[in-house]
Amino acid sequence: MSLRWTIADTLVLAGRQLRRIPRQPDLLIGYTVQPIMFVLLFRYVFGGAISTPGYDNYAQFLMPGIIVQSIAFGGFVTALAVADDMSKGLIDRFRSLPMSRIAVLAGRSIADIALNALQLAVLIGVGLAVGFSFGTDVGRVVLGLVLLLALGYAFSWVFALIGLSAGSAETSNAIGFTVIFPLTFASGAFVPPATMPDGLREFAEANPFTTFVDAVRHLFIGGEAAPANSDVWMAFVWVVVITVIAAFLAVRKYRSVSAG
Amino acid sequence: MSETPIIEAEGLTRSFGDVKALSGVDISAPAGSVLGLLGPNGAGKTTTVRILTTLLTPDGGSARVAGLDVVRDADELRTKIGLAGQYAAVDEYLTGRENLRMVGRLYHLPTSEARARADELLEQFSLTDAGDRVAGGYSGGMRRRLDLAAALVARPPVLFLDEPTTGLDPRSRLALWETIEERVADGTTVLLTTQYLDEADRLADRIAVIDHGRVIAEGTSDELKRRVGGERVEVTLTDPSQAAAAAEALAPISDGHASPDAASTDRDGVLRVPLRSDAGGVAAAVRRLDAASVGISDIAVHRPTLDDAFLTLTGRPAEEVIAENGELRQEADR
């Protein structure tokens, strides 16, 4: 398959996904209302009991964490949609067409960027409303936004792989909530890892989610509380590694997958 | 026939774990014909179609479609085939028109041609009015029509239809049959799988009966029926004790290899006698029974159906085989 057709097919499939977005109001609500609920829950219900030394308030500490979690876990709808395409026979149809073997998933992941951008805008708006404020310059804020969108892109591929492997929305659901979701909590996203018991603390410190969150904290807030360390460039390395591995495995799975 | 078949498979085998879905399938179809793959669920029909449409690679054997090997030339083959599967594979959130345009673009038609082709197919499949509504709101029959239209976007010379009418109401089914017949009239070669005998009888030029992963019989509908035997007359007697007299009266018009003794009356008091093809049919039977003063309460000529053929070929009625294979099929799917 030539590069030209690969790009053309990918754009056709991205167009398919973008057309679908406004026709699925329930999906849009899930994408926007759920993260808002999480912000309010952590900020006002748990926030008072969580001590975050060095930060002006809990909202400062929380927002980078909750944004990273929402952006990463937002790819979950990709798993559901891919599993749905498979059980409805659409993946079979695409595989019987003379089109690029990566276009279905690549098109999907590109369209996901639009959804993630929407979610990012909603979350930052809510964050500002509950007391979050940027403490760095425009350049670093923009770099932070780029990192978040790249992270969302990487997780689109992770969830596409989960959707293809699971083959049904129910199984995708189970994998998402028992593997990925807890991983985001066992990190520095919501509380400082220093407060965790031994074992869990080491795990949280090594968890790439902690790296992502610390990188975003540095780029959005900066100052002594959020030093750069190696987090920013390590975060980009993680994003590239996750994208490459997940995309490779997902495309390989797509080539051999079959409808129930 | 000197003509090279456009669909040709030899010794296809495929297993899913411990379940042997295909254990040596041989089929062939000349260009412009309709080959019906008839068999119960789990017999291996869908697996055969999936191999021929490049969705699955066979463990053994080989197959060529339109002169292209289904494994080695898979990329090129995909430009020559259309597939309408069991699922009515259309995007529910796109309109009918958007679905067809998308498929056209993915067949690499120029944008303007993909648009024109979508309009043309909507018209042909009586979907023009529904063309700008999302497919999620379509009825089952409309979805199948859209699915079939999508398979025809690139005017493929070979069309694969996997149980195209399963789950449709009788009216939609008839409409879909007519549409398929129009495609065939245009010269498209069709491989059709079905578990409905009447469907194979109506649409297929030749039928391959498939059971337990292999083709157990192949021929035209009439040939398969003939293997079951010819016509037979069924007489319901007013007085069952006259059975012997009736059998004797009918002996001269009975099929050679059935002596009067072989003519049987069932518990229901119906006498069944196989008829010689040149014997004059039911009229001759009535005259002979009258002459012998045998009282007739009802008389009918029974022509063998594909159901009878299936029963004879598999040793079991079609429904029984379907029920029995249901579990195997579910295992094979995993």
Side-chain angles (χ1 to χ4, degrees):
Chain A
M1 192 59 50
S2 72
L3 182 64
R4 180 183 155 225
W5 284 124
T6 301
I7 293 169
D9 292 344
T10 301
L11 291 178
V12 170
L13 268 300
R16 169 198 175 210
Q17 295 303 341
L18 291 174
R19 279 211 174 82
R20 286 162 55 108
I21 292 170
R23 296 176 192 174
Q24 299 178 82
D26 47 337
L27 181 148
L28 283 176
I29 290 169
Y31 246 87
T32 51
V33 174
Q34 200 172 307
I36 293 171
M37 296 306 292
F38 259 93
V39 170
L40 298 178
L41 179 72
F42 274 89
R43 174 72 177 92
Y44 296 111
V45 179
F46 300 136
I50 300 172
S51 152
T52 53
Y55 290 85
D56 295 347
N57 57 41
Y58 183 59
Q60 288 297 88
F61 183 85
L62 171 70
M63 286 317 298
I66 217 155
I67 290 173
V68 165
Q69 188 204 36
S70 301
I71 291 291
F73 207 67
F76 189 60
V77 295
T78 297
L80 299 183
V82 168
D84 192 50
D85 279 355
M86 217 161 81
S87 62
K88 297 245 166 73
L90 267 166
I91 297 283
D92 273 358
R93 157 141 285 145
F94 291 135
R95 287 184 62 229
S96 78
L97 296 177
M99 58 182 284
S100 159
R101 305 283 98 183
I102 69 167
V104 170
L105 302 177
R108 167 95 222 174
S109 68
I110 287 171
D112 280 350
I113 296 174
L115 270 178
N116 286 330
L118 172 71
Q119 183 172 231
L120 197 51
V122 169
L123 278 166
I124 287 174
V126 177
L128 294 173
V130 300
F132 175 80
S133 62
F134 291 106
T136 56
D137 51 58
V138 173
R140 273 189 279 184
V141 170
V142 169
L143 187 61
L145 296 176
V146 169
L147 173 62
L148 287 165
L149 290 176
L151 177 70
Y153 186 78
F155 273 86
S156 284
W157 284 102
V158 171
F159 280 103
L161 176 63
I162 291 175
L164 284 173
S165 308
S168 74
E170 292 78 7
T171 314
S172 303
N173 220 357
I175 295 173
F177 276 96
T178 53
V179 181
I180 309 283
F181 205 50
L183 260 183
T184 63
F185 278 96
S187 74
F190 300 98
V191 296
T195 62
M196 296 177 186
D198 292 346
L200 182 59
R201 185 175 63 243
E202 282 81 16
F203 180 85
E205 280 165 355
N207 190 338
F209 278 106
T210 303
T211 307
F212 296 134
V213 173
D214 285 345
V216 174
R217 281 193 186 120
H218 171 71
L219 293 169
F220 281 2
I221 302 162
E224 280 175 28
N229 296 330
S230 59
D231 291 321
V232 174
W233 67 266
M234 268 306 292
F236 277 100
V237 169
W238 270 112
V239 163
V240 171
V241 168
I242 292 172
T243 307
V244 168
I245 294 176
F248 173 77
L249 293 175
V251 171
R252 199 177 65 165
K253 188 81 192 161
Y254 173 85
R255 285 170 173 276
S256 65
V257 83
S258 58
Chain B
M1 268 196 292
S2 58
E3 211 176 343
T4 16
I6 196 165
I7 301 173
E8 193 175 23
E10 278 173 4
L12 289 181
T13 60
R14 172 75 201 205
S15 299
F16 298 98
D18 292 339
V19 182
K20 219 168 164 109
L22 299 185
S23 36
V25 165
D26 305 288
I27 50 171
S28 108
S33 70
V34 180
L35 174 65
L37 223 50
L38 173 67
N41 283 335
K45 305 187 301 291
T46 297
T47 306
T48 305
V49 168
R50 294 180 64 80
I51 288 173
L52 295 176
T53 53
T54 78
L55 296 181
L56 200 65
T57 48
D59 294 338
S62 67
R64 294 173 80 76
V65 176
L68 299 164
D69 188 277
V70 296
V71 179
R72 277 198 310 279
D73 311 319
D75 284 342
E76 202 189 337
L77 175 54
R78 292 188 193 109
T79 65
K80 306 229 183 287
I81 55 171
L83 167 67
Q86 293 182 26
Y87 301 93
V90 296
D91 189 324
E92 296 181 354
Y93 294 101
L94 297 187
T95 66
R97 197 182 304 278
E98 287 167 343
N99 265 292
L100 294 178
R101 283 180 182 175
M102 175 176 73
V103 172
R105 299 284 303 281
L106 295 173
Y107 268 113
H108 300 160
L109 301 182
T111 311
S112 58
E113 200 185 326
R115 284 169 174 270
R117 189 69 182 132
D119 295 345
E120 195 180 317
L121 284 164
L122 288 173
E123 177 78 40
Q124 254 178 50
F125 284 77
S126 318
L127 289 168
T128 304
D129 293 339
D132 294 316
R133 297 209 314 263
V134 292
Y138 285 14
S139 69
M142 290 163 77
R143 272 189 209 211
R144 290 294 177 118
R145 293 212 298 279
L146 182 61
D147 187 46
L148 184 55
L152 293 167
V153 165
R155 297 188 174 85
V158 187
L159 187 60
F160 291 89
L161 303 174
D162 192 10
E163 303 199 1
T165 66
T166 298
L168 287 189
D169 63 68
R171 202 166 53 103
S172 311
R173 202 166 164 225
L174 202 64
L176 206 69
W177 283 353
E178 284 165 4
T179 316
I180 295 168
E181 282 164 343
E182 286 165 24
R183 295 307 100 204
V184 175
D186 289 348
T188 308
T189 307
V190 177
L191 186 145
L192 163 98
T193 79
T194 182
Q195 47 176 309
Y196 301 121
L197 305 149
D198 52 343
E199 190 161 281
D201 207 2
R202 161 140 184 188
L203 294 176
D205 298 316
R206 295 185 73 79
I207 297 169
V209 181
I210 188 165
D211 194 25
H212 294 306
R214 58 172 76 243
V215 175
I216 56 172
E218 205 262 334
T220 64
S221 166
D222 285 342
E223 281 167 5
L224 292 177
K225 287 175 193 166
R226 222 168 291 139
R227 285 177 63 164
V228 191
E231 293 179 352
R232 64 175 190 261
V233 65
E234 300 184 349
V235 189
T236 310
L237 303 169
T238 43
D239 178 3
S241 68
Q242 288 187 304
E248 197 179 330
L250 292 177
I253 59 167
S254 162
D255 185 321
H257 35 78
S259 68
D261 302 338
S264 57
T265 43
D266 282 355
R267 284 180 298 271
D268 55 7
V270 179
L271 178 73
R272 293 184 170 80
V273 180
L275 281 184
R276 231 176 41 232
S277 56
D278 58 351
V282 71
V286 171
R287 279 196 299 274
R288 286 178 175 279
L289 290 170
D290 260 354
S293 308
V294 174
I296 307 167
S297 122
D298 188 24
I299 186 163
V301 169
H302 178 83
R303 290 191 180 83
T305 63
L306 267 175
D307 269 311
D308 298 320
F310 205 92
L311 173 65
T312 308
L313 294 166
T314 63
R316 294 157 296 172
E319 294 75 23
E320 197 178 292
V321 181
I322 287 164
E324 187 180 301
N325 280 337
E327 284 174 30
L328 178 71
R329 153 87 179 176
Q330 283 166 2
E331 269 172 42
D333 282 348
R334 292 218 178 94

